[in-house]
Amino acid sequence: EYGEVSCEGMVLLGMAMVFLANAGAGATARISTTDPWRLTWSDEFDGRHLNTSLWNVKSNVSHCCGPFGKGNGELELYETEAVSLSGDGKLVIRTKRERRVGSDLKVYNYTSGWIDTKGKWSQRYGRFEANCSLPSKAAEGIWPAFWLMPQSPQCWPTGGEIDIFEFNGNWLEDKIFGSYHWAEPSQCGKDKEPIPGKAVKRTGAQSDWQTGFHVYAVEWDEDRLDFFLDGVKYLSREKSEVVLPTAPMYVICLLYTSPSPRDS
């Protein structure tokens, strides 16, 4: 075993929707910023089997580039057996060092897991959160992430990409990152924020604090994105600064493996 991420619960909260009459222009829908949150979707990962009516599980594929490719240069092959439930309310995604040949006939030295709700559930606006335990910083190159992507096909990143958290294992650093990647319309591949938005850890936290369970969240509406760690806001993006997403987004939870010194 090379690395592991475990989540006790994933909850997506939607705000009550109010319809307002707009004189001469028909009905206009907006998100209320005063009504309390209401639950629209959740998974507490009970039982022994992942609920596949909620989740897709990648099998015998890699992401984006594969080994020695461009971009992240990821090294893993996603397999269904890397995703499991513990039986006591935890989702577990494990990365293992093992040699596999993928459907693209490339050789991969790691297996890992990816689940998402694409085509099964998506939402525009709301609060998205998960309670997760992440790997030690000693697991060099391990890269868990919890993020949102547009349900409708759009060239990246014109529809936006909300990274609620990412963590890249290395012995120097144990902070998590919240980020928002975006581009102007029709500017495919031209990420305006290629650098992670902000690194953060709990105030006064000990080394490897992230191996405990913590709540990672984002609140998204038509005006802004706010990122939270255990209820404390640490990053915001406003529509005066960026082009915010306007279409429903689906959820992804995974464990990348990126090159580290031991792989070079």
Side-chain angles (χ1 to χ4, degrees):
E1 241 171 63
Y2 187 49
E4 178 179 301
V5 60
S6 179
C7 295
E8 285 192 324
M10 191 168 293
V11 178
L12 310 182
L13 299 169
M15 304 178 84
M17 183 167 288
V18 178
F19 291 89
L20 303 176
N22 187 2
T28 300
R30 65 182 290 272
I31 296 296
S32 168
T33 56
T34 57
D35 290 342
W37 296 107
R38 65 176 175 85
L39 183 66
T40 58
W41 188 101
S42 69
D43 193 350
E44 301 298 331
F45 303 115
D46 295 324
R48 285 287 184 180
H49 302 286
L50 188 69
N51 186 344
T52 53
S53 70
L54 301 178
W55 297 101
N56 306 300
V57 185
K58 285 192 180 290
S59 177
N60 197 32
V61 294
S62 191
H63 170 59
C64 175
C65 317
F68 316 116
K70 297 179 181 179
N72 299 332
E74 296 163 28
L75 305 175
E76 77 290 322
L77 183 68
Y78 291 117
E79 295 284 19
T80 55
E81 64 263 30
V83 178
S84 63
L85 299 189
S86 64
D88 61 350
K90 295 183 181 67
L91 163 74
V92 180
I93 301 178
R94 288 188 174 92
T95 294
K96 291 185 178 180
R97 189 193 299 271
E98 55 184 350
R99 187 180 177 89
R100 295 281 181 92
V101 177
S103 57
D104 54 6
L105 302 182
K106 293 180 180 179
V107 176
Y108 296 82
N109 292 319
Y110 300 90
T111 58
S112 195
W114 168 311
I115 63 173
D116 65 60
T117 66
K118 186 175 184 180
K120 296 184 175 181
W121 189 89
S122 61
Q123 180 170 294
R124 185 180 73 153
Y125 306 143
R127 178 179 171 91
F128 301 72
E129 68 177 39
N131 182 23
C132 297
S133 164
L134 308 182
S136 167
K137 66 180 183 179
E140 292 181 68
I142 212 71
W143 191 349
F146 172 41
W147 47 307
L148 309 178
M149 287 288 287
Q151 174 63 47
S152 57
Q154 300 183 47
C155 64
W156 186 88
T158 59
E161 174 187 320
I162 304 172
D163 296 335
I164 302 173
F165 80 72
E166 294 180 274
F167 174 74
N168 188 240
N170 69 85
W171 66 275
L172 289 174
E173 185 61 86
D174 60 0
K175 293 182 178 180
I176 63 98
F177 296 85
S179 306
Y180 176 57
H181 300 282
W182 64 283
E184 299 288 350
S186 303
Q187 292 190 350
C188 298
K190 296 183 179 180
D191 186 4
K192 294 287 189 177
E193 291 198 44
I195 306 300
K198 186 172 182 178
V200 67
K201 65 188 293 185
R202 286 290 303 270
T203 302
Q206 301 298 312
S207 179
D208 267 350
W209 64 278
Q210 77 286 346
T211 60
F213 280 89
H214 297 276
V215 176
Y216 303 91
V218 70
E219 293 181 4
W220 164 34
D221 64 25
E222 62 266 46
D223 296 318
R224 61 191 295 126
L225 291 166
D226 291 324
F227 294 77
F228 298 84
L229 169 60
D230 289 335
V232 178
K233 183 168 65 175
Y234 67 90
L235 174 65
S236 294
R237 289 287 181 263
E238 300 183 3
K239 68 177 182 181
S240 60
E241 308 169 301
V242 302
V243 177
L244 292 172
T246 58
M249 304 187 95
Y250 67 93
V251 176
I252 305 170
C253 189
L254 53 74
L255 194 52
Y256 293 129
T257 306
S258 61
S260 70
R262 72 180 71 192
D263 297 309
S264 49

